[in-house]
């Protein structure tokens, strides 16, 4: 894999056009600053010579030059920002597009918050990379140009003045490092404090039960004072930095004035040149402090870029299709699992252990088992969210690993346990997978989902807004919309993950009806949480710790008196 820094800089260099414009404008500003020094010298000279015509001319030139500078300054700021903003927009788009292609496992192993933090915190930080480009090229240019100029004005004075620059630079760097170290210590102490607070809040019962409040307070006070003393030490250093630098600056200026005054008196230099010299010296010091910031910005940018690449952009996207994948032709809905084993990458235990079964087209099959038995995993494999570690899954005799993912998923309707409704109208929500679906198709899907009746009674029927700002639907109504959404494509395979929360009796009855009406029409696979649904299934697959332990109808399994019967009786007892 190509180094992160290299790939990251490619994003910056993509914006070379505005960057070049910004840099040219910066060079323009530098040239004008040099010119200003020259004009300053001329103003003083015209005053010395009491030449008012020259004074007029020079003053007018000053106005003209600054008018020109307006454009350069504008260009410098705007085009740099343009490069930064464009680069950031590009990066955001790439990250978002990449996120869409990442496998489900990525989102399960990561907290959504940390991904969001990358988009909102790290992306704006890398924008500073364009500042780096400017500082790396522009500041040295200014330093070299102005230094050459002051040597030209008076090389002895220039040597004397520049003696101080390294001294100031080292001093700032040393003090900066000390401040950094103290800040680090303070943060460590702060982290300890917040851990203590958290522990105290979480353990408040224990603390009260053992009456150890005073001891907790003592511990807190001790650590809090430590934070205070660290912070104050940092503040003292920080407070010392500025006056120290100012003092050394003043000493160097006094020295330059003292020696420069002598040079003027001896006739080696004019007063105007001395003033111009001081002005340039100030510019050099400013540019030098810009160079000092480079290191800091670079570290910041690099850390942010590394997070962006490592945690998002470098994560392998879902392998969509093998190169020779075929398009799954319209299926009848026969499903076959052949000795399927599966182990989550993050886990040591197999979630599925040698599961084999066959489902005929149009059959209604309920998956039953304790939580963690492997029901969701079994279904996720059918949707190819994951691939079996061993074994095969066939739909109409096509190994699903060998077909194009889109052709597979588009033929399976999924009703998740928790319905996700988007902000929009009821119709838009049903047509989520097919935004151009005609109204008749939407209505037909809603009828099949037994949702049409209640939708008609909403204030605006199919055009009623739902979601945060619109009408609130009950859990059962939401799920019926989700069923309509899944049925819109008329899939031959329907996966229904039953809600665990109880639904209103009407919805429950309607959903049962949808299942029964689908019998013989589409293969229905239900992750069952209700015995009433289980009982209407043509067949029940009973899972236990990743193994398929029993299968049959409710009556058969009850008669057999095995694991299923045991589960059923235990559940009945619970209800009673
Ligand atoms: P069920 O749907 O029957 O409740 P699951 O299929 O969710 O069961 O889980 C089967 C097993 O796989 C459990 O032991 C569970 O802890 C494990 N498991 C589920 N999802 C993951 C995951 N993303 N990473 C690691 N292990 C998982």
């Amino acid at each position: 894999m190509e180094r992160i820094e290299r790939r990251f800089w490619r994003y910056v260099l993509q914006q070379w056009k505005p960057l070049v414009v910004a840099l040219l404008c910066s060079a323009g500003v530098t040239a004008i600053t040099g010119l200003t020094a020259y004009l300053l010298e001329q103003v003083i000279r015209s005053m010395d010579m009491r030449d008012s015509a020259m004074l007029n001319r020079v003053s007018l030139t000053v106005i003209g030059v600054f008018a020109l500078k307006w454009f350069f300054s504008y260009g410098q700021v705007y085009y740099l920002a343009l490069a930064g903003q464009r680069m950031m927009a590009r990066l955001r788009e790439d990250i978002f597009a990449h996120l869409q292609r990442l496998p489900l496992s990525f989102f399960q192993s990561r907290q959504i918050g940390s991904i969001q933090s990358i988009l909102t915190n790290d992306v704006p930080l890398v924008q500073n990379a364009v500042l780096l480009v400017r500082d790396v090229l522009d500041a040295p240019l200014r330093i070299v140009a102005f230094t050459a100029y002051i040597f030209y004005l008076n090389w002895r004075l220039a040597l004397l003045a520049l003696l101080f620059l390294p001294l100031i630079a080292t001093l700032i760097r040393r003090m900066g490092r000390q401040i950094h170290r103290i800040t680090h210590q303070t943060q460590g102490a702060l982290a300890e404090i917040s851990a203590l607070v958290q522990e105290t809040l979480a353990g408040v019962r224990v603390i009260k039960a053992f009456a150890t409040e005073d001891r907790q307070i003592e511990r807190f006070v001790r650590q809090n004072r430590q934070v205070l003393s660290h912070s104050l030490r940092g503040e003292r250093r920080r407070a010392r930095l500025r006056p120290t630098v100012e003092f050394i600056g003043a000493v160097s200026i006094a020295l330059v004035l003292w020696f420069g005054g002598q040079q003027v008196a001896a006739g080696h230099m004019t007063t105007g040149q001395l003033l111009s010299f001081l002005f340039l010296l100030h510019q050099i010091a400013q540019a030098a402090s810009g160079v000092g910031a480079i290191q800091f910005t670079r570290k910041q940018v690099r850390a942010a870029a590394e997070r962006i690449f490592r945690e998002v952009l470098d994560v392998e996207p879902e392998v969509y299709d093998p190169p020779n994948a075929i398009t799954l032709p319209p299926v009848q809905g026969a499903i076959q699992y052949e000795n399927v084993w599966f182990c989550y990458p993050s886990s040591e235990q197999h979630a599925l252990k040698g599961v084999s079964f066959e489902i005929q087209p149009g059959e209604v099959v309920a998956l039953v088992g304790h939580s963690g038995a492997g029901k969701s995993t079994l279904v996720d494999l059918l949707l190819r969210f994951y691939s079996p570690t061993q074994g095969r899954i066939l739909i109409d005799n096509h190994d699903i690993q060998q077909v194009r993912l889109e052709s597979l998923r588009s033929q399976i309707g999924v009703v998740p346990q928790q319905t996700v409704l988007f902000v929009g109208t009821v119709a838009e929500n049903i047509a989520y997978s097919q935004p151009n679906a005609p109204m008749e198709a939407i209505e037909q899907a809603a009828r099949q989902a037994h949702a049409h009746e209640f939708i008609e009674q909403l204030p605006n029927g199919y055009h009623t807004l739902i979601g945060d700002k619109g009408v609130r639907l009950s859990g059962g109504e939401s799920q019926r919309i989700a069923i309509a959404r899944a049925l819109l494509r008329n899939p031959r395979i329907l996966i229904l993950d039953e809600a665990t929360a109880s639904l209103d009796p009407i919805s429950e009855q309607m959903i049962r009806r949808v299942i029964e009406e689908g019998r013989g029409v589409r293969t229905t696979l239900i992750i069952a949480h209700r015995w009433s649904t289980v009982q209407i299934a043509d067949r029940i697959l009973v899972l236990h710790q990743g193994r398929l332990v029993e299968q049959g109808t409710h009556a058969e399994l009850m008669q057999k008196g095995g694991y299923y019967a045991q589960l059923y009786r235990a559940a009945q007892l619970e209800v009673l």
Side-chain angles (χ1 to χ4, degrees):
M1 176 85 49
E2 212 176 330
R3 283 187 45 209
I4 287 177
E5 218 159 339
R6 192 98 150 259
R7 279 177 303 153
F8 167 69
W9 280 105
R10 206 168 290 152
Y11 276 96
V12 182
L13 292 183
Q14 268 170 356
Q15 307 304 330
W16 67 271
K17 279 184 203 156
L19 275 177
V20 166
V21 176
L23 286 171
L24 286 178
C25 287
S26 287
V29 170
T30 303
I32 286 185
T33 309
L35 197 57
T36 311
Y38 174 73
L39 289 172
L40 190 65
E41 184 194 326
Q42 296 300 310
V43 170
I44 305 289
R45 175 190 291 213
S46 65
M47 287 194 294
D48 273 352
M49 291 165 42
R50 310 210 185 284
D51 181 345
S52 63
M54 180 178 171
L55 186 60
N56 289 346
R57 227 175 25 247
V58 175
S59 303
L60 269 180
T61 318
V62 168
I63 293 175
V65 161
F66 272 81
L68 191 61
K69 190 177 174 187
W70 189 96
F71 289 100
F72 285 137
S73 297
Y74 170 84
Q76 179 189 13
V77 172
Y78 177 70
Y79 283 99
L80 204 62
L82 181 72
Q85 295 283 351
R86 276 204 189 143
M87 166 197 159
M88 195 164 74
R90 183 81 183 246
L91 197 57
R92 259 199 309 252
E93 281 168 18
D94 284 0
I95 293 176
F96 190 82
H98 193 74
L99 280 174
Q100 299 291 314
R101 310 229 174 285
L102 288 181
L104 202 60
S105 55
F106 171 84
F107 300 94
Q108 283 171 344
S109 62
R110 242 155 285 229
Q111 290 181 336
I112 302 298
S114 78
I115 302 171
Q116 268 169 352
S117 146
I118 287 182
L119 269 166
T120 50
N121 300 329
D122 290 325
V123 171
L125 271 185
V126 297
Q127 194 191 173
N128 289 338
V130 297
L131 296 184
L132 271 182
V133 173
R134 184 199 58 192
D135 288 341
V136 163
L137 296 174
D138 179 52
L141 171 74
R142 277 189 299 165
I143 293 177
V144 170
F146 298 153
T147 307
Y149 199 169
I150 60 171
F151 269 91
Y152 163 75
L153 285 174
N154 188 316
W155 67 269
R156 289 193 200 87
L157 190 57
L159 270 183
L160 179 76
L162 292 186
L163 270 183
F164 281 86
L165 265 188
L167 182 66
I168 297 185
T170 341
L171 202 78
I172 293 181
R173 182 153 354 123
R174 272 212 14 221
M175 290 179 96
R177 232 182 266 146
Q178 283 175 348
I179 291 174
H180 183 75
R181 207 175 50 232
I182 294 170
T183 313
H184 200 70
Q185 284 172 348
T186 314
Q187 263 159 1
L190 265 177
E192 273 179 39
I193 278 205
S194 68
L196 178 65
V197 170
Q198 227 169 29
E199 177 194 307
T200 308
L201 293 182
V204 69
R205 280 173 158 277
V206 182
I207 293 169
K208 289 204 182 298
F210 287 93
T212 53
E213 289 96 338
D214 287 342
R215 211 163 64 215
Q216 289 295 109
I217 295 174
E218 234 173 77
R219 268 177 74 191
F220 184 83
V221 168
R222 210 169 35 235
Q223 287 193 2
N224 199 31
R225 300 241 162 110
Q226 212 175 357
V227 170
L228 183 67
S229 90
H230 278 310
S231 306
L232 288 182
R233 195 150 17 124
E235 293 303 335
R236 270 198 296 276
R237 290 266 150 83
R238 238 189 294 274
R240 235 182 268 158
L241 184 64
R242 184 174 266 272
T244 311
V245 172
E246 265 176 13
F247 179 72
I248 297 178
V251 169
S252 60
I253 287 175
L255 257 171
V256 167
L257 279 176
W258 171 73
F259 186 75
Q262 287 179 349
Q263 296 277 309
V264 171
H268 294 313
M269 195 180 191
T270 65
T271 322
Q273 282 177 327
L274 181 58
L275 269 180
S276 163
F277 189 99
L278 278 174
F279 172 77
L280 288 168
L281 203 57
H282 177 69
Q283 295 292 331
I284 294 174
Q286 241 177 12
S289 73
V291 174
I294 288 180
Q295 203 51 10
F296 175 73
T297 317
R298 192 168 150 214
K299 266 192 204 149
Q300 204 183 30
V301 167
R302 191 197 282 167
E306 281 197 359
R307 271 193 298 274
I308 292 174
F309 278 91
R310 281 241 161 81
E311 293 188 22
V312 183
L313 288 179
D314 279 354
V315 180
E316 288 285 325
E318 199 159 15
V319 179
Y320 268 59
D321 298 312
N324 51 355
I326 60 156
T327 300
L328 184 63
V331 298
Q332 296 299 311
I335 301 173
Q336 198 176 344
Y337 276 54
E338 282 182 2
N339 189 27
V340 171
W341 291 74
F342 179 71
C343 186
Y344 283 98
S346 57
S347 165
E348 312 219 312
Q349 275 272 339
H350 276 88
L352 289 181
K353 301 167 190 157
V355 172
S356 302
F357 60 85
E358 269 179 54
I359 300 177
Q360 302 308 318
E363 224 182 332
V364 174
V365 173
L367 292 169
V368 173
H370 275 304
S371 151
K375 305 182 290 292
S376 316
T377 309
L378 190 138
V379 164
D380 284 352
L381 289 183
L382 186 63
L383 287 164
R384 234 171 80 189
F385 284 145
Y386 307 98
S387 304
T389 0
Q390 200 188 315
R392 290 198 307 168
I393 300 173
L394 306 148
I395 292 182
D396 283 14
N397 280 326
H398 293 286
D399 182 343
I400 62 168
Q401 292 309 123
Q402 305 300 330
V403 304
R404 288 187 41 238
L405 192 61
E406 208 275 328
S407 68
L408 169 73
R409 288 190 186 159
S410 67
Q411 298 199 50
I412 303 178
V414 180
V415 182
Q417 196 173 75
Q418 278 182 336
T419 309
V420 178
L421 294 179
F422 300 95
V423 176
T425 64
V426 171
E428 283 165 357
N429 264 284
I430 294 177
Y432 178 68
S433 64
Q434 284 177 311
N436 298 324
M439 202 54 212
E440 300 84 67
I442 295 175
E443 219 177 284
Q444 197 197 350
R447 276 181 205 279
Q448 283 180 357
H450 287 280
H452 179 72
E453 299 77 13
F454 88 80
I455 294 173
E456 288 277 84
Q457 304 199 341
L458 293 173
N460 285 322
Y462 282 86
H463 301 293
T464 309
L465 267 182
I466 47 180
D468 285 348
K469 296 208 176 97
V471 171
R472 287 191 70 83
L473 300 177
S474 76
E477 288 166 343
S478 303
Q479 189 153 50
R480 277 143 79 193
I481 294 212
I483 294 176
R485 184 189 280 165
L487 292 181
L488 181 67
R489 285 184 175 178
N490 209 4
R492 300 312 282 267
I493 299 175
L494 179 72
I495 293 172
L496 186 85
D497 195 350
E498 269 193 325
T500 41
S502 60
L503 305 176
D504 56 283
I506 298 200
S507 289
E508 204 157 304
Q509 198 189 343
M510 292 302 166
I511 292 171
R512 205 153 48 237
R513 221 184 267 174
V514 175
I515 297 171
E516 291 195 305
E517 286 166 2
R519 202 191 302 276
V521 179
R522 57 183 165 259
T523 312
T524 308
L525 206 55
I526 308 162
I527 299 182
H529 293 294
R530 283 171 223 296
W531 292 103
S532 56
T533 335
V534 175
Q535 288 174 16
I536 59 167
D538 296 323
R539 196 143 46 105
I540 301 162
L541 300 180
V542 187
L543 286 168
H544 180 50
Q545 294 180 352
R547 287 186 194 283
L548 180 62
V549 288
E550 288 173 1
Q551 54 175 311
T553 61
H554 176 72
E556 286 166 4
L557 291 172
M558 286 309 286
Q559 202 180 8
K560 187 173 166 215
Y563 181 65
Y564 176 83
Q566 211 178 315
L567 276 181
Y568 183 73
R569 289 208 189 90
Q572 298 310 304
L573 277 180
E574 258 168 45
V575 173
L576 297 171

